[in-house]
C-alpha cells in the first residue's frame, strides 16, 4: 500500500496533522463500540464508551477552561490523542476500545478549548486544521481503496503515530498554543441562540460523517443492477472529492453560503441523492458535497459565540441521536422501539436539514470571527489555505490515478471451460471476531479457494458506524473481479454483493417481503461463463423468529428461481434447518436440487442448483474472520442443459476424480465433524466429490 505524507505550509502543517488525528479518532470510535452489539446481536453495555464524546462538558466546570488553555496542558492532551492511536496495536478488543475512547475524549477537549480560544489566531488555526485535516483524511482513504490508513495495519498505524507525534511536539516547542492577542468577546446582542446553533452544528457533523467520511460513499446510495448500474465508486468518487474541495474553496463567499437559497440547494441535493437512482442521484450527491463543506465556516462562526460546555454537549447529543437513529433504521429488528424507525432515513434527512436550517438562521447577527477573523487578515492568508486545499485534493486525485488499471479483468484459464466454482460467505463487514480488519486475510482466502463467483453477505460497511468502507470496491480491485453491490446502501439492508471473475451481463436487486423482521436483500444476476449464461440468485433471508417473513421470502425466491431461463445456482442464507418449510419451498417450488441433500448439519448457508452437473462440495472453517464458515461448490455446465445426467454418487476419496476438480489441498484432507481452527480447513464431512 502507499502512504502519502501531508503537505502544507508553515504552522498549518501541524494543524492539518492534528485535524487528521482528530478525524481518525472521531470516526474510529463508532465501529469499535458497534463491534460488541454486532457479535451479541443486542445492545451490549459497551455503548457507554460513547460518553467520552462529551469530554467538552468539563470546560463548564469553573477554572477548567483556563487550566486546559495552558500550552503545557494542551501539549499533554495533544500527545495523549496521538498516543491513543496505538490502541490499534492493543492485545484485546476491550483495551483497544478503552484507549481509543480516552483518546477521542482528549481530541474533543482540544477541539473545544482551541476553537473557543480568545486568541483569533488559535481559533482560526484550529478551524482550518479540522477542515484541511478532513480533506487529508478523505484523500488518504483513496490510496487505501476506502479504508483509513490509521486503522489498516500496524505499519500504517505506526507511520500515522510518528507523523502525529512530530506535529504534536512541534506544536509544544514552537509555542503555537500560546495566547498572543487578548480579544474582548463580541457584544452579547450579536450572539446567536446557543441551543439551535448547537443542534445545527451537530447535524452538520453527522451529515459530513454520514455521506462524506469517504469520497465514494454516496455512489453506493444510487447503485442499481447491471447493465445500467450507474456511476461506479471508482472513478466517480473522484468527483465527490473535488466537490468537497470546492466546498472549502467557496467558504469565503459568505454572502452566498449563509443565504437561505444556498440551504435550499443543499436540501434539493440530499433529496435527489435519496430519492433518485444512478446518475441523477449522483448529481445530488455532488451538490451535497459542495454544500456540506461550504457551510462549516458559517456554523462554526455562530457556534463559537455560544457557551462552550453546554453547546458542545448539545452538539454531541444531536450527532449521537442521529447516528443511533440511523442504526435503528437498519437494526430495528434487534433494538427497542425499532418499529417506529424502521426504514425511515427520510425522517433522518428531515432532522438533519431542519437542524442545519435552525443552526444557520435563528438569532444573532452574523460575525466572521473564526474561519476569517476580521481583525486578523494578515494572519490568515486565504490564498495559502487555497493552495493547501488544492494540494490535498491533488494527492487524493493522484491516488485515483495510481489505482487505474489498463488490464481488463482476466478470465481464469481452465482445461475445461465449462467448469466453475461458486462460494457463499457471511462476511461480518470486514472485521474479524476481535474487531480488527480482515480484508487482506479474506482476499488470501478467496485466492486459495479459487472460487469464480462469490457472494458476500453482511457486506455493506458504508454506514458511519461500520467505518464508511466499500468492501466490494476493495475486493474488486484487489482480486481483479467484477462487483455487483446491491441493494443500494440507502435501502436499509446489511448488504449483499457478488464478486465474479466472469462478466455480469444483467442483474436485478430485490428487497424481499419483510412485514415483521429485518429487510432481506437479494440479487438475481446472469453471468457469462466462457460463453455460457448462468443465473445466480443470492440472498440473506430474515431472522428465524420471523416466520411470516421467511415464508413470504422463500415464496418470492422460489418464483425467481423458476423464472430463470439459464442453468441456475442459489447461494442463500436461509436461517432454518434442512427440510424446514422454507427449505422445502425453495427446493420444490423453485425446482432446484440441494448440492448435498445428505448434509443435515446446516442452518444458515445453502447451495442449490438446476441444469448443472455437480462436481464437488466443501465447507471451510472461518478461522476467526467471521462467525460463519465458507461453503463452496464446483459445477460443470452440460452441453445440453435440457438433456443430461447429473452426478449422483458421493465419494470422499479425491484420488478418484480429475485433479482439476480437486479443492485446494492447503485446506487439508477430508474432515468429519466440526472443528475450530485458527487456520482455514475443511470440516463437517467435506470435501465431497460427485461421480456419475
Amino acid at each position: 500500500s502507499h502512504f502519502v505524507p501531508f503537505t502544507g505550509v508553515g504552522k498549518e502543517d501541524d494543524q492539518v496533522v492534528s485535524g487528521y488525528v482528530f478525524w481518525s479518532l472521531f470516526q474510529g470510535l463508532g465501529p469499535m463500540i458497534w463491534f460488541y452489539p454486532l457479535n451479541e446481536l443486542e445492545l451490549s453495555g459497551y455503548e457507554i464508551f460513547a460518553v467520552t464524546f462529551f469530554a467538552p462538558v468539563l470546560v463548564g466546570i469553573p477554572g477548567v477552561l483556563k487550566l486546559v488553555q495552558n500550552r503545557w496542558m494542551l501539549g499533554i492532551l495533544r500527545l495523549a490523542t496521538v498516543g491513543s492511536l496505538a490502541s490499534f496495536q492493543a492485545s484485546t478488543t476491550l483495551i483497544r476500545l478503552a484507549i481509543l475512547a480516552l483518546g477521542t475524549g482528549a481530541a474533543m477537549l482540544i477541539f473545544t478549548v482551541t476553537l473557543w480560544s480568545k486568541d483569533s489566531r488559535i481559533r482560526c488555526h484550529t478551524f482550518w486544521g479540522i477542515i484541511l485535516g478532513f480533506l487529508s483524511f478523505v484523500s488518504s482513504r483513496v490510496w487505501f481503496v476506502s479504508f483509513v490508513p490509521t486503522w489498516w495495519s500496524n505499519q500504517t498505524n505506526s507511520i500515522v503515530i510518528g507523523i502525529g507525534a512530530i506535529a504534536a511536539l512541534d506544536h509544544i516547542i514552537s509555542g503555537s498554543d500560546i495566547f498572543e492577542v487578548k480579544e474582548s468577546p463580541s457584544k452579547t446582542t450579536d450572539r446567536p441562540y446557543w441551543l439551535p446553533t448547537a443542534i445545527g452544528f451537530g447535524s452538520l457533523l453527522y451529515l459530513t460523517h454520514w455521506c462524506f467520511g469517504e469520497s465514494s460513499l454516496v455512489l453506493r446510495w444510487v447503485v442499481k443492477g447491471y447493465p445500467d448500474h450507474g456511476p461506479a465508486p471508482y472513478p466517480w468518487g473522484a468527483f465527490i472529492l473535488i466537490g468537497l474541495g470546492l466546498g472549502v474553496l467557496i467558504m469565503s463567499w459568505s454572502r452566498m453560503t449563509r443565504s437561505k437559497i444556498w440551504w435550499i440547494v443543499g436540501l434539493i441535493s440530499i433529496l435527489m441523492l435519496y430519492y433518485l437512482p444512478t446518475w441523477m442521484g449522483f448529481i445530488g450527491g455532488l451538490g451535497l458535497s459542495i454544500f456540506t463543506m461550504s457551510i462549516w465556516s458559517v456554523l462554526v462562526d455562530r457556534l463559537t459565540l455560544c457557551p462552550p460546555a453546554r453547546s458542545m454537549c448539545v452538539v454531541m447529543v444531536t450527532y449521537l441521536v442521529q447516528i443511533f437513529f440511523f442504526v435503528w433504521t437498519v437494526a430495528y429488528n434487534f433494538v427497542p422501539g425499532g418499529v417506529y424507525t424502521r426504514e425511515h432515513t427520510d425522517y433522518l434527512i428531515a432532522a438533519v436539514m431542519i437542524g442545519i436550517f435552525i443552526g444557520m438562521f435563528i438569532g444573532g447577527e452574523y460575525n466572521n470571527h473564526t474561519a476569517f477573523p476580521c481583525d486578523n487578515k494578515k494572519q490568515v492568508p486565504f490564498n495559502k489555505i487555497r493552495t493547501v486545499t488544492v494540494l490535498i485534493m491533488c494527492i487524493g486525485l493522484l491516488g485515483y490515478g495510481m489505482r487505474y488499471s489498463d488490464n481488463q479483468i482476466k478470465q481464469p484459464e481452465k482445461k475445461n471451460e465449462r467448469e466453475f466454482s461458486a462460494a457463499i460467505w457471511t462476511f461480518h463487514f470486514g472485521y474479524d471476531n476481535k474487531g480488527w480488519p480482515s480484508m487482506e486475510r479474506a482476499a488470501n482466502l478467496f485466492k486459495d479457494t479459487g472460487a469464480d463467483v462469490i457472494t458476500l453477505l453482511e457486506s455493506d460497511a458504508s454506514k458511519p458506524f461500520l467505518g464508511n468502507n466499500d468492501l466490494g470496491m476493495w475486493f474488486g480491485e484487489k482480486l481483479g473481479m467484477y462487483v455487483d453491490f446491491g441493494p443500494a446502501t440507502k435501502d436499509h439492508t446489511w448488504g449483499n454483493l457478488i464478486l465474479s471473475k466472469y462478466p455480469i451481463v444483467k442483474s436485478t436487486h430485490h428487497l424481499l417481503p419483510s412485514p415483521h423482521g429485518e429487510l432481506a436483500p437479494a440479487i438475481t444476476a446472469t453471468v457469462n461463463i466462457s460463453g455460457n449464461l448462468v443465473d445466480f440468485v443470492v440472498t440473506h433471508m430474515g431472522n428465524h423468529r420471523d416466520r411470516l417473513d421467511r415464508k413470504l421470502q422463500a415464496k418470492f425466491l422460489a418464483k425467481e428461481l423458476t423464472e430463470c431461463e439459464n442453468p441456475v445456482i442459489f447461494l442463500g442464507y436461509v436461517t432454518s434447518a434442512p427440510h424446514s418449510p422454507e427449505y422445502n419451498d425453495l427446493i420444490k417450488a423453485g425446482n432446484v436440487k440441494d448440492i448435498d441433500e445428505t448434509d443435515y448439519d446446516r442452518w444458515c448457508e445453502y447451495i442449490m442448483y438446476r441444469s448443472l452437473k455437480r462436481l464437488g462440495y466443501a465447507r471451510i472453517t472461518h478461522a476467526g474472520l467471521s462467525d460463519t464458515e465458507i461453503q463452496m461448490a464446483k459445477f460443470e455446465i452440460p452441453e445440453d442443459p435440457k438433456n443430461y445426467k447429473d452426478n449422483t454418487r458421493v465419494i470422499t476419496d479425491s484420488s478418484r476424480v480429475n485433479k482439476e476438480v480437486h479443492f485446494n489441498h492447503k485446506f487439508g484432507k477430508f474432515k468429519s465433524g466440526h472443528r475450530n481452527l485458527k487456520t482455514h480447513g475443511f470440516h463437517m464431512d467435506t470435501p465431497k466429490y460427485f461421480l456419475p
Side-chain angles (χ1 to χ4, degrees), residues 236-499:
W236 295 98
F239 289 86
I240 299 290
L241 182 65
I242 292 168
L244 295 170
L246 276 177
V248 174
L249 295 177
I250 64 168
M251 271 183 196
S252 55
W253 303 356
S254 55
R255 183 169 288 174
M256 181 184 88
T257 57
R258 63 180 198 238
S259 69
K260 290 189 174 72
I261 291 171
W262 188 235
W263 178 84
I264 291 168
V265 169
L267 179 66
I268 291 168
S269 297
I270 197 167
L271 293 176
M272 283 175 71
L273 174 63
Y274 186 61
Y275 287 107
L276 299 179
T278 61
W279 292 96
M280 291 307 291
F282 170 62
I283 291 166
L286 208 51
L288 188 65
S289 67
I290 300 169
F291 169 79
T292 302
M293 291 316 289
S294 71
I295 59 169
W296 264 79
S297 56
V298 181
L299 276 161
V300 170
D301 271 338
R302 293 174 67 85
L303 182 72
T304 47
L305 291 173
C306 302
R310 55 188 151 160
S311 299
M312 281 306 291
C313 179
V314 171
V315 164
M316 291 321 296
V317 166
T318 306
Y319 168 81
L320 287 172
V321 164
Q322 291 174 358
I323 281 273
F324 278 113
F325 190 94
F326 190 52
V327 174
W328 255 240
T329 62
V330 190
Y332 51 80
N333 206 28
F334 305 103
V335 291
V339 63
Y340 304 109
T341 59
R342 173 182 173 146
E343 297 171 61
H344 274 306
T345 299
D346 48 355
Y347 293 0
L348 186 55
I349 288 172
V352 167
M353 292 311 290
I354 291 166
I356 288 173
F357 183 87
I358 63 172
M360 285 172 76
F361 303 116
I362 289 192
E365 291 291 309
Y366 184 77
N367 181 334
N368 263 329
H369 81 144
T370 300
F372 309 98
C374 312
D375 63 326
N376 244 342
K377 282 281 191 294
K378 284 184 199 139
Q379 291 188 354
V380 198
F382 190 54
N383 293 342
K384 209 182 224 187
I385 285 161
R386 271 204 187 105
T387 311
V388 179
T389 303
V390 171
L391 205 58
I392 292 168
M393 279 162 61
C394 288
I395 289 170
L397 294 173
L398 182 65
Y400 274 105
M402 296 294 279
R403 278 164 48 191
Y404 179 75
S405 165
D406 291 322
N407 314 337
Q408 287 290 308
I409 294 173
K410 292 190 179 81
Q411 290 195 16
E413 290 174 15
K414 297 186 176 179
K415 264 192 179 174
N416 181 353
E417 288 193 335
R418 292 180 165 275
E419 278 179 18
F420 70 97
S421 55
I424 173 173
W425 194 19
T426 308
F427 188 54
H428 251 205
F429 310 105
Y431 296 99
D432 67 17
N433 291 347
K434 291 185 174 169
W436 270 264
S438 61
M439 301 297 287
E440 292 278 7
R441 288 171 287 167
N444 291 334
L445 171 62
F446 294 152
K447 283 178 190 164
D448 289 341
T449 63
D452 298 313
V453 180
I454 303 164
T455 182
L456 282 187
L457 308 169
E458 294 182 7
S459 51
D460 183 358
S462 59
K463 299 169 171 67
F465 53 89
L466 288 167
N468 290 142
N469 304 318
D470 191 331
L471 312 186
M473 177 168 69
W474 193 91
F475 280 124
E477 291 187 26
K478 178 82 175 177
L479 301 170
M481 296 175 88
Y482 297 93
V483 184
D484 190 5
F485 178 106
T489 190
K490 63 184 175 189
D491 286 329
H492 312 98
T493 77
W494 294 118
N496 180 15
L497 62 87
I498 296 175
L499 297 167

Side-chain angles (χ1 to χ4, degrees), residues 422-424 602 605-607 617-620 629-633:
I424 173 173
R602 284 174 295 173
E605 296 171 343
Y606 290 86
I607 301 176
Y617 167 57
R619 296 173 66 172
I620 300 166
E629 63 176 11
I630 291 181
Q631 286 189 16
M632 185 174 166

Side-chain angles (χ1 to χ4, degrees), residues 156-186:
T156 56
N157 179 253
S158 302
I159 290 169
V160 175
I161 292 169
I163 295 171
I166 293 166
L169 289 168
D170 189 48
H171 247 295
I172 298 165
I173 294 160
S174 69
S176 53
D177 283 329
I178 300 173
F179 280 32
E180 286 174 10
V181 185
K182 288 282 183 283
E183 183 197 294
S184 60
S186 59

